């Protein structure tokens, strides 16, 4: 499978200021596969260790940070002689070694000639607990589920992506029904690599659902394994509430939807655990659409999305016929799938969306993003009926902004606003 992150890994390898690389992302987004594949293709040899399944790793790092000794130990464990520049050292599930992350500081300071890459399924949670981390001495890279364009590549016909990137709006519009069909499939399958691989290989919808169910079960097992019972229950309650939260017209997260009388103080840590694990994305509200957006965060309001639309479909047991054949998949569930899809594409593009809503009127802007030196208010529509006053009024009230509508319509530039089709998000934002 082609993954966009591969280009970033190549840049890391060739960088003159390269540091040990920490790859962050939720379980099952493909971190282990991409590290091994990158190593096989770009290096003469790979020294790979799964720290969770190799008890000798704890002993190796327990004594001190003598890198000569550590490298010799890694050679003994992997059977690979580690040569600077020619060998990629991969330490997977590094959070299982108490001193593993901190050792990266010494690789950076004392042995920068060695290429070291690490990852872990709950590495974000480990960092969220405040454990020792070599700030400024590692490179960080986030990995997400496969984007729609990566899904198209996996389906085996690169021409669809070439067409989207070619820029012929009329031709893309003519091929709209095919893109919509592929979009339906992506809504059902999602971007988790194993689910995509099974779908491409067998086109067995039941098999895809089994994979998705197993991934969700693995997340719940992680929650039980790595938290105390009281905290585990609360994390599970937040996760279970997501479908109902996203089915609301106003998708602002409401604690009362978890259980009657629920308070922020009871569930803040649970939400943060899910965010740190990469299982959910938190989209905060902004008071104003000005640069930098982070200055205008409103910490009192936010939306939560699941990391993958296919997992969301599995969680709510959405019928395959409704998603792949029915006429209303894009508007059912009050557009929850469409907003989830758009958010997922933004994350794959390393964009960090916010949203805006008025406290005086029902007006809301689904997403507000910062791209370079431009702030873009984004309206998401799950159908071709795109009539809405919110974006138009918001652009009028905020001089200098140009809106973006993402809908089932084709490419249109109306001056104050551009419309792009749902399946054209990635090419539109790529540099």
């Amino acid at each position: 499978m082609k993954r966009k992150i591969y280009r970033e890994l190549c840049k890391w390898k060739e960088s003159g200021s390269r540091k040990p690389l920490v790859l962050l992302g939720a379980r099952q987004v493909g971190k282990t596969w991409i590290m091994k594949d990158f190593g096989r293709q770009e290096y003469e040899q790979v020294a790979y260790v799964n720290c969770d399944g190799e008890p000798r790793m704890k002993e190796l790092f327990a004594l001190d940070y003598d890198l000569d000794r550590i490298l010799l130990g890694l050679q003994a464990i992997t059977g690979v002689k580690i040569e600077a520049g020619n060998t990629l050292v991969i330490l997977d599930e590094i959070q299982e070694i108490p001193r593993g992350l901190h050792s990266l500081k010494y690789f950076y300071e004392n042995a920068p000639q060695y290429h070291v890459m690490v990852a872990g399924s709950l590495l974000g949670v480990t960092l969220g607990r405040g454990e020792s981390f070599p700030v400024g001495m590692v490179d960080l890279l986030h990995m997400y589920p496969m984007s729609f364009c990566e899904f198209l590549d996996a389906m085996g016909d690169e021409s669809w992506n070439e067409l989207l990137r070619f820029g012929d709006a009329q031709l893309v519009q003519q091929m709209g029904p095919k893109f919509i069909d592929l979009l339906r499939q992506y809504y059902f399958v999602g971007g988790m690599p194993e689910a995509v691989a099974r779908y491409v290989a067998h086109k067995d919808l039941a098999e895809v659902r089994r994979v998705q169910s197993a991934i969700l079960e693995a997340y719940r097992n992680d929650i039980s394994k790595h938290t105390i019972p009281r905290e585990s229950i609360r994390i599970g309650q937040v996760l279970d509430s997501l479908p109902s939260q996203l089915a609301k017209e106003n998708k602002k997260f409401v604690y009362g939807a978890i259980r009657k009388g629920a308070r922020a103080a009871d569930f803040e840590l649970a939400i943060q655990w899910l965010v740190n694990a990469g299982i959910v994305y938190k989209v905060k509200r902004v008071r104003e659409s000005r640069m930098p957006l982070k200055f205008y965060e409103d910490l009192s309001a936010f939306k939560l999305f699941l990391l993958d639309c296919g997992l969301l479909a599995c969680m709510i047991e959405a019928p395959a016929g409704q998603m792949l054949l029915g006429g209303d998949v894009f508007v059912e569930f009050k557009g929850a799938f469409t907003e989830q899809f758009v958010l997922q594409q933004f994350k794959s593009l390393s964009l960090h969306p916010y949203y805006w809503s008025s406290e005086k009127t029902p007006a809301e802007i689904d997403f507000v993003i910062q791209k370079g030196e431009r702030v873009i208010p984004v309206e998401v529509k799950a159908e071709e009926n795109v009539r809405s006053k919110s974006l138009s009024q918001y652009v009028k009230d905020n001089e200098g902004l140009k809106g973006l509508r993402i809908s089932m319509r084709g490419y249109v530039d109306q001056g104050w606003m551009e419309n792009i089709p749902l399946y054209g998000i990635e090419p539109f934002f790529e540099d």
Side-chain angles (χ1 to χ4, degrees), residues 337-391:
F337 275 108
T338 304
E339 217 166 306
Q340 165 75 47
F341 168 79
V342 172
L343 182 277
Q344 198 168 328
Q345 307 316 298
F346 283 164
K347 296 298 290 186
S348 76
L349 290 160
S350 298
L351 296 171
H352 304 290
Y354 296 84
Y355 81 101
W356 175 89
S357 63
S358 171
E359 297 181 355
K360 299 178 181 179
T361 68
E364 178 175 312
I365 301 300
D366 297 312
F367 296 111
V368 181
I369 57 176
Q370 183 175 316
K371 174 68 172 173
E373 298 183 0
R374 182 186 172 193
V375 171
I376 309 172
V378 180
E379 181 179 64
V380 175
K381 289 293 183 181
E383 51 189 321
E384 289 197 33
N385 179 11
V386 294
R387 294 185 63 184
S388 175
K389 296 180 180 179
S390 293
L391 182 62

Side-chain angles (χ1 to χ4, degrees), residues 1 3 5 23-34 119-121 141-147 150 191-194 215 219 277-279 281 307-308 311 344:
M1 290 186 182
R3 300 298 305 267
I5 199 172
L23 189 58
L24 297 169
R27 178 188 291 277
Q28 297 288 332
V29 295
K31 299 185 299 298
T32 299
W33 183 88
I34 195 66
S121 56
L141 200 55
H142 290 264
M143 190 169 185
Y144 302 100
M146 297 173 70
S147 69
E150 288 176 318
M192 303 305 283
E194 185 180 359
I215 293 172
Y219 290 161
I279 297 172
Y281 302 136
L307 80 158
D308 179 66
L311 294 183
Q344 198 168 328

Side-chain angles (χ1 to χ4, degrees), residues 222-390:
D222 281 340
I223 294 168
S224 300
K225 179 180 177 182
H226 295 279
T227 60
I228 60 175
R230 183 180 180 184
E231 185 181 5
S232 174
I233 291 172
R234 290 181 175 177
I235 295 171
Q237 288 176 321
V238 172
L239 191 58
D240 290 337
S241 80
L242 276 186
S244 63
Q245 301 276 2
L246 292 173
K248 297 189 282 86
E249 193 71 40
N250 177 356
K251 294 174 177 58
K252 173 187 172 183
F253 190 86
V254 177
Y255 289 97
I258 302 175
R259 69 174 188 221
K260 188 176 180 180
R263 301 174 302 167
D266 297 328
F267 289 94
E268 284 177 336
L269 291 179
I271 291 172
Q272 193 57 50
W273 194 96
L274 288 168
V275 171
N276 290 342
I279 297 172
V280 303
Y281 302 136
K282 190 175 187 179
V283 177
K284 301 174 185 176
R285 185 166 68 180
V286 286
R287 298 184 299 276
E288 298 180 44
S289 295
R290 297 183 182 181
M291 293 184 60
L293 286 174
K294 193 166 183 63
F295 275 4
Y296 300 95
E297 284 183 1
D298 178 359
L299 301 181
S300 67
F302 58 91
K303 302 177 184 179
L304 281 189
F305 294 88
L306 200 61
L307 80 158
D308 179 66
C309 57
L311 294 183
L312 177 62
C314 178
M315 183 181 286
I316 67 172
E317 300 180 357
Q322 182 182 23
M323 299 196 70
L324 296 172
L325 302 175
D328 298 325
V329 64
F330 298 106
V331 295
E332 287 289 344
F333 315 108
K334 301 187 186 301
F337 275 108
T338 304
E339 217 166 306
Q340 165 75 47
F341 168 79
V342 172
L343 182 277
Q344 198 168 328
Q345 307 316 298
F346 283 164
K347 296 298 290 186
S348 76
L349 290 160
S350 298
L351 296 171
H352 304 290
Y354 296 84
Y355 81 101
W356 175 89
S357 63
S358 171
E359 297 181 355
K360 299 178 181 179
T361 68
E364 178 175 312
I365 301 300
D366 297 312
F367 296 111
V368 181
I369 57 176
Q370 183 175 316
K371 174 68 172 173
E373 298 183 0
R374 182 186 172 193
V375 171
I376 309 172
V378 180
E379 181 179 64
V380 175
K381 289 293 183 181
E383 51 189 321
E384 289 197 33
N385 179 11
V386 294
R387 294 185 63 184
S388 175
K389 296 180 180 179
S390 293

Side-chain angles (χ1 to χ4, degrees), residues 139-156:
D139 291 320
L140 294 174
L141 200 55
H142 290 264
M143 190 169 185
Y144 302 100
M146 297 173 70
S147 69
F148 180 60
C149 285
E150 288 176 318
F151 175 78
L152 294 182
D153 274 338
M155 292 288 283

